[in-house]
Amino acid sequence: MPSTPSERDVLPVLEQLIRIPSVNPALCPQEGSGESEIARFASAWLAERGLESRLEEAAPGRPNVVAECGRGDGPRLVLCAHLDTVGTAGMTIPAFEPRLEQGRVYGRGSYDMKGSVAAVMVAAAALAEERLPGRLLVALVADEEHASEGARQFVGHHRADACILTEPSEGRLIVAHKGFIWIEIETSGVAAHGSRWELGVSAISRMARVVSALERFDTEVLRGRSHELLGPASQHCSMIEGGSGLSTYAERCSLKLERRTLPGETPEAALEEVREVIRGTGVEARAELVLARPPLECPPDSRVAECVRAAATAVAGSAPAVGGVAYWMDAALFAEAGIATVNYGPSGAGAHAAVEWVELASVASCARVLVDASRRFLAAGRGALGAER
């Protein structure tokens, strides 16, 4: 594999990845083939090119690909991408028939994120031919589109000094993203016939007061709480359910709320804020945490960020923009495990959409950046990591 990967190197890998359906079965049971076939292909491809490669089960029948090369006594760097995709309903192009047209490669997962998987694989194959002074780990993980079981399994079983995640970033260096929490709120009423106003109490009416108070808290408080790279915190009422019939006072009403968190905010504190808002309405309601995912913040002057910035500058001829994104990525799970993590990936459009494509030139460029950044990071030695460890 050439040390400076080209479009010719990444295209056949990307096309084969798109041909293999890897729809997440937790999202689309009717078409969810999972990651087994694509993981076997990627693992065999990497092994044929000199990496120590194996499958590790993240969930039953849902493997990660873990591959390694280099020496074990130096720094350890992870290159990460996810193998699963969302479903194909509503697509207006063939989902699993890759098509190259005017520099764009079309197909489900091309952008999110098989272009990145191809870049990682080709970069790792190029690096496997060198005498690396540290250890390079490839993590091609399962289940990112649902519960991130793949990333959780990886960080629970492997140590590393830093990680470069490769979600599409349009060539930007991403050092921060928001977290999120899901909260379920429930109000109770008194069921009665619709004609018996003196007996019935509507749980929906009680929830309406809660919803109004939560909306005010979002606009008046959270929008004033901002991060330099990420903008304001926010929350929104996502789903509501209640009542059993048109002529019955609702005995129960359930509201699902999503809260987007900033670095420094904790799920516990965010939940307590919601409970305080509810208490202020005078309504008795139960509020419980359903799911929490942490935000990401990596110092722009960290060793891994500096290496990616220098590599991207060398490859592209100009320094990449450094920024943050509002959406969540597996990057936060690596950071939560003590692994300094940034994100850098290719360009395209159509994630989860009817038409999806990735720019082929950006996939090749991403592979070259990964090769250069890996060399820089691993060559620095452990002494350069300092507080990053």
Side-chain angles (χ1 to χ4, degrees):
M1 184 64 63
S3 60
T4 54
S6 66
E7 294 179 25
R8 184 181 302 175
D9 300 313
V10 298
L11 179 59
V13 183
L14 174 55
E15 289 177 326
Q16 185 57 29
L17 290 168
I18 294 171
R19 288 189 187 101
I20 303 173
S22 56
V23 175
N24 192 311
L27 297 177
C28 303
Q30 71 279 11
E31 63 168 321
S33 49
E35 300 88 355
S36 292
E37 184 180 356
I38 197 170
R40 288 194 297 269
F41 162 73
S43 183
W45 191 96
L46 290 165
E48 289 169 2
R49 286 154 182 81
L51 286 96
E52 304 167 21
S53 185
R54 60 192 178 277
L55 301 183
E56 296 183 358
E57 194 171 65
R62 310 283 303 279
N64 289 341
V65 177
V66 179
E68 304 182 44
C69 63
R71 294 208 318 263
D73 56 347
R76 297 171 68 86
L77 174 66
V78 181
L79 304 181
C80 180
H82 68 80
L83 295 169
D84 60 320
T85 73
V86 296
T88 64
M91 291 195 73
T92 56
I93 61 171
F96 307 118
E97 299 174 17
R99 182 178 91 253
L100 173 61
E101 185 176 305
Q102 295 182 334
R104 298 174 175 180
V105 181
Y106 291 82
R108 175 53 86 223
S110 55
Y111 180 59
D112 185 19
M113 60 180 301
K114 291 181 179 181
S116 302
V117 175
V120 168
M121 290 171 62
V122 170
L127 291 165
E129 297 180 354
E130 304 179 11
R131 293 179 57 84
L132 296 175
R135 195 73 170 165
L136 181 77
L137 290 86
V138 171
L140 305 180
V141 298
D143 195 47
E144 188 274 347
E145 297 287 2
H146 180 246
S148 294
E149 294 293 343
R152 287 189 175 279
Q153 189 278 341
F154 183 88
V155 299
H157 292 81
H158 300 276
R159 64 176 184 84
D161 299 293
C163 172
I164 305 172
L165 201 78
T166 56
E167 288 277 6
S169 73
E170 323 309 316
R172 294 187 301 150
L173 173 58
I174 304 302
V175 297
H177 67 65
K178 291 183 180 180
F180 69 91
I181 63 172
W182 292 345
I183 297 172
E184 184 169 5
I185 302 167
E186 185 173 298
T187 54
S188 298
V190 178
H193 191 276
S195 66
R196 300 302 303 272
W197 57 268
E198 77 280 12
L199 298 179
V201 178
S202 173
I204 295 173
S205 295
R206 287 176 168 174
M207 187 64 80
R209 291 159 59 188
V210 172
V211 170
S212 294
L214 290 170
E215 292 291 315
R216 286 195 302 273
F217 181 76
D218 176 43
T219 57
E220 296 174 6
V221 178
L222 292 182
R223 300 305 170 85
R225 189 181 298 170
S226 192
H227 183 278
E228 179 183 6
L229 297 177
L230 301 176
S234 64
Q235 69 182 24
H236 69 280
C237 300
S238 306
M239 301 171 67
I240 193 165
E241 180 184 28
S244 58
L246 281 170
S247 292
T248 304
Y249 278 80
E251 186 176 26
R252 174 185 169 275
C253 185
S254 174
L255 172 72
K256 290 182 172 62
L257 176 81
E258 182 180 70
R259 167 80 149 81
R260 292 285 165 162
T261 57
L262 301 177
E265 294 188 307
T266 66
E268 295 77 17
L271 176 61
E272 182 55 33
E273 284 185 328
V274 167
R275 287 173 171 168
E276 182 62 29
V277 169
I278 295 171
R279 285 193 288 268
T281 68
V283 172
E284 289 189 11
R286 175 186 62 83
E288 301 294 339
L289 187 67
V290 176
L291 179 71
R293 291 288 183 263
L296 168 76
E297 187 170 41
C298 184
D301 60 353
S302 65
R303 179 64 188 165
V304 65
E306 289 179 344
C307 289
V308 175
R309 185 187 298 108
T313 302
V315 169
S318 60
V322 178
V325 293
Y327 54 83
W328 191 84
M329 296 185 283
D330 277 345
L333 297 181
F334 284 84
E336 189 177 48
I339 301 170
T341 303
V342 298
N343 185 85
Y344 182 89
S347 303
H352 303 202
V355 177
E356 183 176 2
W357 57 270
V358 68
E359 183 186 65
L360 180 60
S362 74
V363 176
S365 177
C366 179
R368 291 194 292 272
V369 170
L370 294 176
V371 169
D372 192 340
S374 298
R375 287 177 182 146
R376 292 171 188 268
F377 186 86
L378 297 176
R382 290 201 171 275
L385 297 177
E388 212 162 317
R389 286 193 48 74

